[in-house]
């Protein structure tokens, strides 16, 4: 008979996937968000009416915009928390893995749910 089959950790690959999604969000979508919110008026991409309170309410009323905001916040949180987890491991906290993992991913999940709730309850 062959060697016994090794156990496959399917959860770790899911968190690496969320990490890569967060990296994509931080690298591509976050700069778009920054341009849309702070530089678009300065470069005359949008009119002054767009950056007023009513203009922002109209912008955030779109379901696509709400989804965009949740993806930006959630992806950024999962990316950051995954990095923080490995920084803590590098500082010698790997022996506390059973506490660190639920804590960092819990923070990311709570932040994403809060973004989802706040974004879709607004306007």
């Amino acid at each position: 008979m062959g060697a016994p089959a090794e156990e496959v950790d399917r959860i770790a690959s899911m968190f690496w996937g969320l990490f890569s999604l967060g990296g994509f969000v931080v690298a591509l979508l976050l700069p778009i968000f920054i341009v849309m919110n702070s530089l678009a008026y300065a470069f005359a991409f949008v009119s002054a009416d767009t950056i007023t309170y009513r203009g922002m309410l109209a912008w955030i009323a779109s379901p696509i915009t709400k989804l965009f905001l949740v993806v930006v916040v959630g992806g950024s949180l999962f990316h950051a928390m995954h990095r923080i987890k490995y920084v803590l491991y590098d500082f010698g906290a790997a022996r506390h893995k059973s506490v660190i993992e639920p804590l960092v991913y819990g923070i990311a999940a709570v932040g994403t749910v809060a973004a989802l709730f706040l974004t879709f309850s607004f306007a």
Side-chain angles (χ1 to χ4, degrees):
M1 301 251 285
E6 290 187 31
E7 205 173 305
V8 176
D9 187 9
R10 290 184 170 88
I11 299 296
S13 61
M14 181 185 72
F15 287 123
W16 278 105
L18 288 171
F19 171 74
S20 66
L21 169 72
F24 169 77
V25 165
V26 170
L28 183 70
L29 299 181
L30 192 58
I32 291 171
F33 180 70
I34 291 169
V35 167
M36 289 181 347
N37 278 325
S38 58
L39 299 175
Y41 176 69
F43 291 138
F45 294 147
V46 296
S47 67
D49 296 335
T50 309
I51 62 168
T52 63
Y53 180 73
R54 291 182 193 265
M56 286 294 126
L57 281 178
W59 179 73
I60 201 169
S62 167
I64 300 276
T65 304
K66 291 178 181 186
L67 182 63
F68 175 80
L69 290 173
V70 170
V71 168
V72 167
V73 170
S76 298
L77 279 172
F78 273 100
H79 187 77
M81 291 296 113
H82 195 79
R83 282 185 179 265
I84 287 171
K85 177 180 90 167
Y86 282 100
V87 166
L88 290 173
Y89 287 176
D90 288 344
F91 283 139
R95 64 183 176 271
H96 302 294
K97 187 176 184 176
S98 61
V99 174
I100 291 173
E101 283 189 2
L103 182 66
V104 295
Y105 293 128
I107 290 170
V110 167
T112 303
V113 169
L116 186 68
F117 174 76
L118 292 172
T119 304
F120 281 94
S121 66
F122 186 72

